[in-house]
Amino acid sequence: TQLLEQSPQFLSIQEGENLTVYCNSSSVFSSLQWYRQEPGEGPVLLVTVVTGGEVKKLKRLTFQFGDARKDSSLHITAAQPGDTGLYLCAVSTLQGGTSYGKLTFGQGTILTVHP
Amino acid sequence: DAEITQSPRHKITETGRQVTLACHQTWNHNNMFWYRQDLGHGLRLIHYSYGVQDTNKGEVSDGYSVSRSNTEDLPLTLESAASSQTSVYFCASSETLNTEAFFGQGTRLTVV
């Protein structure tokens, strides 16, 4: 069983459309990260959300952390071809409240935005 | 600029051979990690290190080993390569346990 369930796994849309990617779990997390990965490259951090209900915006990307800190969403407004890539959510492994820096990732969402 | 580099970027090896993948970072980060990425599984942690002479097993450590003789490098060794180890391998480093992880560009390993 995956700790983090991402959906959808694949998303193919036209330029200008809006989309939402979900990251769900039955566990509670102190923080959650979203990464974007382009072909042939490593993941790059987009944002870290730490407070239940928190909303962060990065240009056309809006990230939300669930009130119970069990889930998160990434919403892209007016998608562009440059948004194409693999989007990954990740959480740090905790023991006794201390983050050990080890990341557990969701399976990822492959987004393709067509011109 | 500080960076994290992996080598080689691509490698093909035969079943049973020993293979070492290099990871070098110039940020002077104490924390370094190795992940493998496979379709449908995201990235899974293989081994990690919190400093020189420290190494720890991750989620999928069987068949892999690491050593940390200095701050900058964490080489990953496949003792006897198996076809199941065909994957893309990513090295990452972070300054503290609660900060951003920086990833290398990956090594695509094919075991035939």
Side-chain angles (χ1 to χ4, degrees):
Chain A
T1 305
Q2 286 273 123
L3 180 64
L4 297 174
E5 295 285 345
Q6 272 189 252
S7 62
Q9 190 172 355
F10 301 95
L11 198 52
S12 180
I13 62 172
Q14 294 297 126
E15 182 175 3
E17 292 184 9
N18 302 331
L19 66 111
T20 302
V21 176
Y22 299 93
C23 179
N24 296 307
S25 178
S26 57
S27 300
V28 177
F29 304 110
S30 61
S31 66
L32 185 144
Q33 298 178 331
W34 283 95
Y35 287 80
R36 177 166 170 256
Q37 184 180 13
E38 297 189 30
E41 301 291 331
V44 176
L45 181 68
L46 293 174
V47 77
T48 301
V49 286
V50 297
T51 305
E54 180 178 6
V55 176
K56 281 192 173 180
K57 292 192 174 183
L58 189 65
K59 297 184 181 178
R60 293 175 294 100
L61 278 61
T62 301
F63 304 85
Q64 184 161 8
F65 202 14
D67 291 341
R69 306 203 318 272
K70 293 183 178 181
D71 52 79
S72 181
S73 63
L74 158 60
H75 182 79
I76 302 179
T77 304
Q80 299 177 0
D83 296 326
T84 293
L86 173 67
Y87 290 82
L88 296 154
C89 62
V91 292
S92 289
T93 303
L94 290 178
Q95 278 181 245
T98 299
S99 169
Y100 281 75
K102 301 176 291 180
L103 294 173
T104 298
F105 287 84
Q107 311 100 307
T109 295
I110 299 174
L111 170 66
T112 304
V113 182
H114 301 279
Chain B
D1 284 345
E3 60 181 3
I4 181 166
T5 55
Q6 293 183 234
S7 61
R9 292 295 311 275
H10 302 271
K11 184 165 182 69
I12 301 174
T13 192
E14 295 178 342
T15 301
R17 291 202 180 251
Q18 183 181 80
V19 176
T20 297
L21 308 183
C23 176
H24 179 80
Q25 53 98 1
T26 58
W27 279 297
N28 204 36
H29 287 167
N30 283 325
N31 309 317
M32 296 185 73
F33 309 87
W34 273 103
Y35 295 87
R36 61 177 287 176
Q37 185 172 36
D38 305 286
L39 191 62
H41 290 279
L43 286 95
R44 292 179 292 175
L45 183 65
I46 305 172
H47 280 286
Y48 58 101
S49 170
Y50 292 141
V52 176
Q53 301 302 330
D54 176 74
T55 61
N56 306 279
K57 293 182 179 181
E59 177 189 0
V60 290
S61 61
D62 287 350
Y64 304 94
S65 64
V66 293
S67 61
R68 189 89 181 269
S69 58
N70 58 55
T71 301
E72 296 79 16
D73 300 289
L74 186 70
L76 177 71
T77 298
L78 286 69
E79 302 295 342
S80 177
S83 57
S84 61
Q85 294 176 308
T86 292
S87 186
V88 181
Y89 291 86
F90 287 96
C91 179
S93 72
S94 65
E95 181 178 8
T96 69
L97 298 179
N98 289 305
T99 57
E100 176 181 0
F102 294 90
F103 285 81
Q105 292 182 300
T107 295
R108 182 175 293 276
L109 176 68
T110 302
V111 182
V112 298

